[in-house]
Amino acid sequence: MQPVRMTDELWQHLLSLRENWSRPVGSSADVDISCLTLYKPIALRDGPFVLAQVGQSLDGRIATPAGDAQNVSGSDGIAHLHRCRALVDAVIVGVGTVVADNPSLSVRAVRGRSPVRVVVDCNGRMPERAKMLHDGGMPALVVQADDVPLRNGKHEIIRLPRRADGGLSPRDILAVLTERSLTTVLVEGGARTISRFIDAELVDRLHVSVSPIIIGSGPTGIRLPPIDRLSEARRPKIQVYNIGTDILFDCNLRIEVRQQSGSPGCENILVTDTA
Ligand SMILES: NC(=O)c1ccc[n+]([C@@H]2O[C@H](COP(=O)([O-])OP(=O)(O)OC[C@H]3O[C@@H](n4cnc5c(N)ncnc54)[C@H](OP(=O)(O)O)[C@@H]3O)[C@@H](O)[C@H]2O)c1
């Protein structure tokens, strides 16, 4: 497990990469490589990149049954989330998160610019009073199915065809964001939204930030179609980081590591690399 020690200098370097220039960092002995390996793939923005992030408890919960998710992550987990927001072009949440948390999705815990806010609101239930529609911050885009009656509002509404399963295609959502030059995106929650992006094989990196609390009941961060056998489980290549209050699993979903039961030592074997 690698410790992550962010310094002002490293953060300035990462922000400069995000803006397509490179502010040099000090001599190699001073540079915390783990910081760079964690954040550089996001900051470089050299093509479409989808990061999903889950902040969960030891028992895998992202909120209480009543929907309280405010302090699931510790202070360093929150700083990490805000760093990710500062490095991407857009942050995506489902309307369930807006209804439950009324988030602003801005960058506050670190220095950096806030991303464009995108809410997936298939059936048009975005609350008119949602904070992000009135806080004067970055634009808020609301993505709806094209059969939902239009309501007047100040925010931009993007209309997409409803798919056979009754929902919106995550691929269509990314395509309309790409048309707006929003190519590096953070899918921040909740479970239903993240799971749809993972199920559609669109997530490059999944960050699971585990905080040392036990909630005991409540929703889990990822819900995919059921499998029968553990051999069918996804085994992404992971790097584990100690970020302070929380432990972060940085999962590369483009590299699958399959465990072959019955093979000597059950060693991990890389079987795909589409990165
Ligand atoms: N700890 C964390 O990291 C974290 C982060 C974010 C949220 N949360 C918590 O997660 C909970 C909310 O999660 P959730 O899973 O219930 O809701 P959610 O994912 O925020 O929103 C789900 C809703 O968004 C719409 N939606 C999203 N993707 C869609 C798609 N591809 N097609 C059609 N509709 C789509 C649907 O709305 P309709 O139902 O209207 O069709 C769906 O029911 C809250 O308690 C929140 O506090 C925790």
Side-chain angles (χ1 to χ4, degrees):
M1 183 170 4
Q2 305 182 52
V4 169
R5 282 183 287 271
M6 182 59 78
T7 63
D8 273 354
E9 188 189 21
L10 280 169
W11 184 235
Q12 280 303 332
H13 172 67
L14 287 161
L15 287 178
S16 72
L17 290 180
R18 189 225 178 281
E19 301 304 329
N20 294 323
W21 60 286
S22 181
R23 184 193 175 105
V25 281
S27 68
S28 56
D30 300 334
V31 177
D32 182 346
I33 298 296
S34 53
C35 252
L36 295 182
T37 52
L38 176 58
Y39 294 110
K40 223 171 158 179
I42 313 165
L44 282 175
R45 301 162 71 249
D46 55 0
F49 186 86
V50 179
L51 168 69
Q53 136 89 33
V54 175
Q56 67 175 46
S57 61
L58 284 174
D59 55 332
R61 314 286 174 178
I62 59 162
T64 68
D68 182 5
Q70 289 294 314
N71 290 313
V72 172
S73 296
S75 55
D76 295 321
I78 290 168
H80 167 73
L81 175 62
H82 283 224
R83 277 183 211 120
C84 293
R85 284 181 185 168
L87 294 176
V88 298
D89 301 317
V91 57
I92 301 176
V93 293
V95 69
T97 295
V98 178
V99 170
D101 300 346
N102 196 13
S104 68
L105 303 177
S106 58
V107 173
R108 303 180 301 282
V110 298
R111 224 154 0 96
R113 77 158 74 156
S114 295
V116 169
R117 286 86 59 95
V118 180
V119 178
V120 187
D121 177 28
C122 187
N123 293 304
R125 59 187 180 98
M126 176 81 176
E128 281 297 333
R129 299 164 70 100
K131 205 189 297 174
M132 72 174 80
L133 301 182
H134 304 281
D135 63 6
M138 290 298 280
L141 311 177
V142 178
V143 186
Q144 287 182 350
D146 57 8
D147 55 7
V148 170
L150 268 176
R151 283 185 297 170
N152 286 331
K154 283 198 223 153
H155 53 280
E156 184 180 351
I157 294 180
I158 297 171
R159 315 263 286 170
L160 289 176
R162 192 186 289 277
R163 296 291 163 182
D165 65 359
L168 303 175
S169 150
R171 199 174 291 278
D172 291 351
I173 295 169
L174 292 183
V176 291
L177 297 184
T178 300
E179 283 168 14
R180 288 162 173 77
S181 300
L182 305 171
T183 53
T184 303
V185 302
L186 167 64
V187 185
E188 198 176 305
R192 273 179 275 191
T193 303
I194 288 182
S195 302
R196 278 179 180 263
F197 277 86
I198 293 177
D199 200 32
E201 309 278 355
L202 293 172
V203 176
D204 296 289
R205 292 287 174 105
L206 169 67
H207 284 183
V208 180
S209 180
V210 181
S211 139
I213 59 170
I214 297 171
I215 302 178
S217 55
T220 54
I222 299 169
R223 279 168 253 158
L224 295 172
I227 56 171
D228 293 326
R229 303 190 61 78
L230 280 176
S231 57
E232 300 165 53
R234 291 169 195 228
R235 296 177 195 274
K237 184 165 188 274
I238 61 157
Q239 290 271 12
V240 188
Y241 296 93
N242 178 352
I243 57 173
T245 57
D246 299 15
I247 300 297
L248 182 77
F249 290 77
D250 177 14
C251 312
N252 186 335
L253 298 187
R254 297 292 179 211
I255 303 181
E256 179 117 344
V257 179
R258 289 238 175 87
Q259 217 166 37
Q260 293 217 329
S261 57
S263 64
C266 285
E267 70 264 48
N268 289 333
I269 299 170
L270 288 183
V271 292
T272 57
D273 183 355
T274 55

